[in-house]
Amino acid sequence: MEFAIGLSERAGTLAAERFFAADFALAIKADGTEVTDADLAVETLIRGELAARFPADEIYGEETGATAGISGRRWVIDPIDGTKYFAYRIPIFGTNLALEDEYGPALAVINQPVARQLVYAGRGCGCRVRTDSRDLVPVLRDNPDLAAARVELVNPAGWPADLLLTLHRHTRITGHLGGIGGLLTGLVDALVIAGPEMGYEDLAPLPLILEEAGGRATDLHGNPLLAGDGTALLSTGRHHDALLDLLAPVLTG
C-alpha cells in the first residue's frame, strides 16, 4: 500500500507539471478519445516502477495495453483519468491505480493532484481520504430523503433526455462536486455515469474504494461494476436500490 500511494503521488506530480506546462501534444485515438503526451509519460513512469518492484506481476495500462505476468496479480493503470478535462486545462483529472489478485480487487488509489486529494483503500483495511497530508476516514452523507439526494452527473452530454428528466424530477442533480472525493466527503449522495461508457481502467479502483468506505458501486442495471456495461452508479448505499428502480424503466425503455 505504501508503495502504491508513493507511486501515485509521483505520477500525480508529473501529471500536474505537464498540466501547468506551456504546451503539450494532443492527439485523437482511433476510438475518438483524446490522448496527450502526458498520458504516455505518466503511464511510462508507473509501468517502469511496477516492473522494477514487482517483475512477476501483469500490468495493464490504458495507453500501452498489457504486459504478461506469472504471479496471478495484475496492476491496472489509468494514467490520466479525465484526459478531455486535462486537454482543455480544466483541473478535474486524476491518476488511477488498482491491484487485483486471485480474490479480486486488492488495492486502489486515486490521486487528484491539482485538487490535492488522494483516496486509497485496501481489501479489509478500510478507505482513507488524504487531504493536505491528513488521512481522514470517509464521511458519507446521511440523507434519508431521495427527493433531497444530491446526484452528480458525470459527462452527461449526449445522455437520453428521459434519463436526465427522470433524475431531475426525483433527485437534486448537480454538476461536478468532487467526483469520488465529493461522495466520500459528504458532498453528494450518488454519482451517475451513463455514457460514454467507461473503460475498465476508469472503473477498476472504484468497487474496492466504495466497499471499504461503506458505500456501493454497480452499473446502472445493478450488475457488479467491473462486469457491467461501462455505466456506473456510485453511492452512499442508502438510495442505491431506489435509484436503480427509478432508472430501470428509462434504461430498458
Side-chain angles (χ1 to χ4, degrees):
M1 176 67 81
E2 291 179 0
F3 173 82
I5 291 172
L7 180 54
S8 293
E9 289 176 333
R10 289 180 58 196
T13 297
L14 176 59
E17 289 173 352
R18 294 298 182 95
F19 179 78
F20 289 113
D23 197 10
F24 48 75
L26 172 66
I28 303 299
K29 296 190 285 190
D31 63 2
T33 61
E34 295 85 353
V35 62
T36 71
D37 57 355
D39 293 80
L40 299 172
V42 172
E43 183 164 323
T44 297
L45 168 65
I46 296 174
R47 279 181 172 276
E49 294 296 318
L50 289 175
R53 181 68 177 267
F54 304 108
D57 290 358
E58 180 182 351
I59 303 172
Y60 173 77
E62 178 182 16
E63 305 304 338
T64 50
T67 301
I70 58 174
S71 68
R73 305 196 311 178
R74 179 172 78 153
W75 295 89
V76 182
I77 308 165
D78 187 351
I80 296 182
D81 182 22
T83 299
K84 180 184 291 291
Y85 296 117
F86 184 98
Y88 291 101
R89 306 287 187 171
I90 301 170
I92 305 172
F93 67 90
T95 295
N96 295 353
L97 183 62
L99 174 64
E100 302 168 341
D101 61 17
E102 61 191 296
Y103 303 106
L107 293 176
V109 187
I110 297 176
N111 183 19
Q112 296 179 307
V114 177
R116 294 187 175 184
Q117 184 178 82
L118 184 143
V119 176
Y120 66 92
R123 185 174 59 226
C125 300
C127 174
R128 295 292 184 272
V129 180
R130 177 172 295 179
T131 303
D132 295 328
S133 300
R134 294 183 302 161
D135 287 12
L136 306 175
V137 175
V139 178
L140 303 184
R141 190 165 187 253
D142 186 19
N143 161 42
D145 184 5
L146 178 62
R150 297 176 191 157
V151 178
E152 180 177 326
L153 310 184
V154 180
N155 298 329
W159 286 15
D162 286 349
L163 176 58
L164 290 167
L165 187 58
T166 297
L167 288 169
H168 174 66
R169 284 175 171 171
H170 296 280
T171 70
R172 294 183 178 177
I173 61 175
T174 79
H176 182 75
L177 285 179
I180 187 67
L183 181 61
L184 297 177
T185 55
L187 294 179
V188 297
D189 297 88
L191 281 71
V192 174
I193 305 171
E197 284 70 22
M198 307 290 277
Y200 189 92
E201 66 281 352
D202 297 299
L203 304 173
L206 297 175
L208 182 62
I209 286 173
L210 267 295
E211 179 179 345
E212 292 295 328
R216 287 182 63 185
T218 68
D219 74 3
L220 293 184
H221 305 279
N223 302 310
L225 185 61
L226 298 185
D229 62 359
T231 63
L233 175 60
L234 315 175
S235 82
T236 64
R238 180 184 282 271
H239 301 297
H240 201 96
D241 289 330
L243 287 167
L244 290 174
D245 292 343
L246 185 66
L247 297 178
V250 178
L251 298 173
T252 59

